[in-house]
Amino acid sequence: MRISVRGNFDLDSEDAFARSKFNSIIYSFKREGAITISGFNSRVEDTDSALDSLFEADNKIYGSEFNDKLLGDDGDDMIYGGRGDDKIKGGAGDDLIHGGNWTKRVNKVWGNSGRDTFVIDDGAWGTVIKDFDITEDRIGLSRMNDWGNKYSWEIRGKNTYIDDGEYWQAKIKGRHDLSLANTVEI
């Protein structure tokens, strides 16, 4: 493992990430590939053991309250944007991507190749999914019955929107019939 940091970074305490003012961190894993996190107070965990969830990931990446750029690698990653207007790219694995809440603009997410799961819930509004493949990718919900009861979808112009009745939760680039989409409970 190799960690490269630019700026001031203190590894002497548990809240090092919360107090540090670093500009970027590059985290290289045991296999080929790296993750670059730009912004403040972001963190990444190497998860070689199985997670306590149904989704087993190679890497778990957390954004911050700022505008982050979060990049997965070739493995199966779990990426959480946090607050801020983030850009998230999953990489070439079967990734689980949670955009988080946007502050001024929107979160832009790409799953890239693989069978990616894009999380739609109350904590992920304002997410633009740039490369949804209805035959391969999935929509992840914290409660499965929310899909028919709480969320609705419609095609508006060139894009597909998922709404909760009050706000749009996600905008999916392209016109997609989401009644054909794979939905999973996460």
Side-chain angles (χ1 to χ4, degrees), residues 6 23-27 34-38 61 69-72:
R6 274 184 240 136
N23 295 321
S24 64
I25 180 169
I26 300 168
Y27 186 95
I35 295 171
T36 302
I37 302 174
S38 299
I61 305 164
K69 292 179 184 174
L70 307 172
L71 307 174

Side-chain angles (χ1 to χ4, degrees):
M1 170 183 5
R2 178 185 64 126
I3 297 179
S4 303
V5 177
R6 274 184 240 136
N8 297 322
F9 188 70
D10 175 13
L11 291 173
D12 290 336
S13 66
E14 278 184 30
D15 63 343
F17 284 100
R19 294 183 298 107
S20 297
K21 295 191 179 346
F22 61 88
N23 295 321
S24 64
I25 180 169
I26 300 168
Y27 186 95
S28 296
F29 296 90
K30 297 171 188 154
R31 63 187 184 291
E32 202 171 318
I35 295 171
T36 302
I37 302 174
S38 299
F40 299 95
N41 300 328
S42 300
R43 75 181 192 267
V44 64
E45 297 174 8
D46 188 1
T47 56
D48 287 332
S49 61
L51 298 174
D52 290 336
S53 70
L54 296 175
F55 190 89
E56 192 171 316
D58 294 317
N59 311 301
K60 209 172 182 184
I61 305 164
Y62 297 91
S64 70
E65 62 186 86
F66 300 98
N67 302 339
D68 302 312
K69 292 179 184 174
L70 307 172
L71 307 174
D73 66 0
D74 291 343
D76 301 338
D77 305 308
M78 293 179 80
I79 306 174
Y80 299 91
R83 296 188 54 80
D85 304 325
D86 304 317
K87 290 184 180 178
I88 301 171
K89 295 186 179 182
D94 297 340
D95 305 310
L96 181 119
I97 300 173
H98 189 294
N101 288 331
W102 59 279
T103 53
K104 292 182 182 175
R105 295 187 183 133
V106 294
N107 295 306
K108 296 178 183 176
V109 300
W110 294 261
N112 297 113
S113 62
R115 185 176 192 182
D116 301 308
T117 302
F118 297 95
V119 177
I120 307 299
D121 69 17
D122 293 336
W125 44 272
T127 298
V128 177
I129 301 169
K130 303 290 263 180
D131 66 345
F132 187 75
D133 180 349
I134 199 155
T135 62
E136 190 170 11
D137 295 330
R138 304 180 295 184
I139 295 172
L141 304 166
S142 37
R143 288 177 307 279
M144 198 58 137
N145 64 354
D146 283 349
W147 186 240
N149 298 325
K150 182 175 184 175
Y151 299 113
S152 62
W153 65 272
E154 71 176 340
I155 296 171
R156 296 184 210 147
K158 295 180 182 180
N159 300 303
T160 307
Y161 288 82
I162 299 173
D163 297 297
D164 70 357
E166 194 173 341
Y167 302 104
W168 65 271
Q169 298 290 306
K171 173 177 143 183
I172 302 172
K173 296 296 272 182
R175 299 168 60 89
H176 300 280
D177 180 355
L178 294 186
S179 67
L180 304 173
N182 291 313
T183 54
V184 294
E185 190 165 1
I186 53 165

